[in-house]
Amino acid sequence: MSYKLNKKIVELEPYEPINGTYDVRLDANECPYNYPDEIKQEIKNVIDNIDFNRYPDPLATDVVNAFAEYYGLNPDFVTAGNGSDELIFLIESAFLEKGDKMLVVSPDFSMYQFYSSICEVECDTFYKDDELNIDVDMLIDKVNSDNIKLLIFSNPCNPTGKGITADQARKLVNSVNALVILDEAYMDFWTEGLLNEAEQYTNLIVFKTASKAIGSAALRLGFAVANPVISRAIKAVKSPYNVNSFSQAVGKIIYSHKQFLLNRKKDIVNNREKLYNGLLDISKSSSDFKVFESCTNFVFIKTSFGKELWEFLKQKSIVIRYMGDYIRISVGTADEVDRTLEAIKAYFER
């Protein structure tokens, strides 16, 4: 007798990031800045007080309180996760039952649908229009007519960089019976979020992450914000010690530096506008290079020669994200933006 993998995982391939060392990494929507020495010293100091022989706080109380204070929330409405990925998988597996159907939009973050396949949940897709916008009225009709139990999408969207307004989001949440998850991982770069209203709704969860504007991708910290009933359910179904002690301790320090984080966010937004405007100028020389306006920390471009440009930039030690008919360029430092724009201009001038 021999064991065989089941059909849902037998052909899966492990995620493999780009190999090699590059001067400029603009492929993963990370924050381009590390922390200054004074904050790093605080982190070093707190390590000495971690009881490595003990399990972490199961409720991640300190980092949840710091997160809640940063955003002006009641910490009772917040649940910490081992990255938003854990929360996505957890909610899809626990909040849906056999026979339930969930809905994603496209294009969007691919892991929403990936986890549904692992959970063996039926997943349907709502497609955006040619300009990559969501028709909210059509989406509402789709959710209600198809008896959707869970709708999840990123707002603003990864990878398009576009989003629906707060009024559109309110209309959506108020018009469906489904549980709605708004993944606001990139909302720090925009102003149309429902984070501070999440507890008012019976059917809304808002996700936040420490990996983007907060600049702590290494910590794998994600948060779910919802009303007391939903929050209690998430805490009940998660694993007891899901956020490690190191991430809790460091996350508490990071979120306490609010003014530093806000100032750095302004720099990222300024660099985004610099990148967007530079790419827009370049696009004037080619009808096959459509640049989409962004309210995130990256710019999305439609082009048929994305792979060729991706390879060209790699030769110049610059990495962006190639996505078939599209490319996505994360915002770097001002110098990295300048270097990337010059390299793309060089590609067009060959």
Side-chain angles (χ1 to χ4, degrees), residues 21-76:
T21 301
Y22 298 90
D23 294 342
V24 181
R25 292 295 302 260
L26 305 179
D27 59 312
N29 297 346
E30 298 157 322
C31 175
Y33 304 104
N34 206 337
Y35 293 111
D37 290 341
E38 55 267 28
I39 294 181
K40 287 183 178 179
Q41 188 59 53
E42 288 184 56
I43 293 171
K44 292 176 183 177
N45 293 340
V46 79
I47 292 175
D48 291 335
N49 295 317
I50 294 177
D51 294 323
F52 286 96
N53 59 317
R54 303 299 182 189
Y55 286 112
D57 173 8
L59 297 179
T61 306
D62 287 345
V63 70
V64 162
N65 287 340
F67 168 88
E69 184 174 352
Y70 181 86
Y71 287 107
L73 302 169
N74 184 333
D76 292 342

Side-chain angles (χ1 to χ4, degrees), residues 6 66 74 77 79 151 171 207 215 247 251-252 269 296:
N6 63 49
N74 184 333
F77 305 144
T79 307
L151 167 66
K171 179 179 181 180
F207 285 163
S247 293
K252 176 186 177 182
V269 171
T296 59

Side-chain angles (χ1 to χ4, degrees), residues 160-185:
T160 70
K162 309 181 81 171
I164 64 172
T165 66
D167 282 343
Q168 289 176 311
R170 292 185 191 102
K171 179 179 181 180
L172 170 63
V173 175
N174 283 318
S175 301
V176 299
N177 293 320
L179 176 63
V180 179
I181 299 178
L182 297 178
D183 187 346
E184 295 189 356

Side-chain angles (χ1 to χ4, degrees), residues 122-294:
E122 183 180 355
C123 185
D124 200 356
T125 303
F126 177 88
Y127 292 95
K128 299 178 182 179
D129 64 23
D130 291 341
E131 293 299 315
L132 304 180
N133 295 314
I134 294 175
D135 186 316
V136 173
D137 290 329
M138 290 182 64
L139 179 56
I140 291 170
D141 288 342
K142 173 75 172 176
V143 172
N144 290 334
S145 62
D146 289 3
N147 195 28
I148 299 298
K149 298 298 184 183
L150 170 64
L151 167 66
I152 179 171
F153 63 97
S154 58
N155 189 45
C157 173
N158 171 25
T160 70
K162 309 181 81 171
I164 64 172
T165 66
D167 282 343
Q168 289 176 311
R170 292 185 191 102
K171 179 179 181 180
L172 170 63
V173 175
N174 283 318
S175 301
V176 299
N177 293 320
L179 176 63
V180 179
I181 299 178
L182 297 178
D183 187 346
E184 295 189 356
Y186 298 90
M187 191 57 77
D188 291 282
F189 304 107
W190 203 27
T191 57
E192 295 292 322
L194 295 191
L195 179 69
N196 296 92
E197 305 173 24
E199 78 281 1
Q200 301 175 18
Y201 300 92
T202 63
N203 64 329
L204 176 64
I205 301 173
V206 175
F207 285 163
K208 294 294 288 185
T209 180
S211 298
K212 309 306 176 185
I214 304 303
S216 294
L219 297 183
R220 304 307 298 128
L221 270 175
F223 300 89
V225 182
N227 69 38
V229 173
I230 294 177
S231 294
R232 180 179 175 83
I234 298 173
K235 291 180 174 70
V237 298
K238 76 173 185 64
S239 60
Y241 308 111
N242 59 324
V243 180
N244 69 76
S245 296
F246 182 85
S247 293
Q248 292 188 35
V250 176
K252 176 186 177 182
I253 291 173
I254 299 306
Y255 280 107
S256 71
H257 289 275
K258 184 170 184 175
Q259 196 55 53
F260 166 78
L261 294 174
L262 292 176
N263 290 339
R264 190 177 64 182
K265 180 180 69 174
K266 291 179 183 178
D267 288 340
I268 295 172
V269 171
N270 288 336
N271 290 343
R272 179 195 71 202
E273 293 305 297
K274 183 178 187 179
L275 175 63
Y276 170 74
N277 289 322
L279 292 169
L280 205 59
D281 286 340
I282 292 172
S283 72
K284 295 175 183 177
S285 64
S286 174
S287 60
D288 190 14
F289 196 77
K290 181 174 182 177
V291 182
F292 292 91
E293 192 170 1
S294 174

Side-chain angles (χ1 to χ4, degrees), residues 301-319:
I301 301 153
K302 184 175 184 179
T303 178
S304 65
F305 50 82
K307 188 169 186 180
E308 186 178 341
L309 177 58
W310 177 68
E311 294 284 3
F312 179 84
L313 292 177
K314 279 205 301 181
Q315 293 172 9
K316 295 185 177 296
S317 202
I318 301 171
V319 179

Side-chain angles (χ1 to χ4, degrees), residues 50-117:
I50 294 177
D51 294 323
F52 286 96
N53 59 317
R54 303 299 182 189
Y55 286 112
D57 173 8
L59 297 179
T61 306
D62 287 345
V63 70
V64 162
N65 287 340
F67 168 88
E69 184 174 352
Y70 181 86
Y71 287 107
L73 302 169
N74 184 333
D76 292 342
F77 305 144
V78 180
T79 307
N82 182 17
S84 296
D85 281 83
E86 182 202 20
L87 295 169
I88 296 166
F89 180 76
L90 179 70
I91 292 170
E92 289 186 11
S93 60
F95 281 61
L96 295 174
E97 298 180 309
K98 186 176 182 180
D100 286 346
K101 184 190 297 186
M102 63 173 281
L103 182 67
V104 298
V105 299
S106 180
D108 204 342
F109 185 46
S110 61
M111 298 308 290
Y112 304 144
Q113 189 161 18
F114 171 79
Y115 287 130
S116 73
S117 67

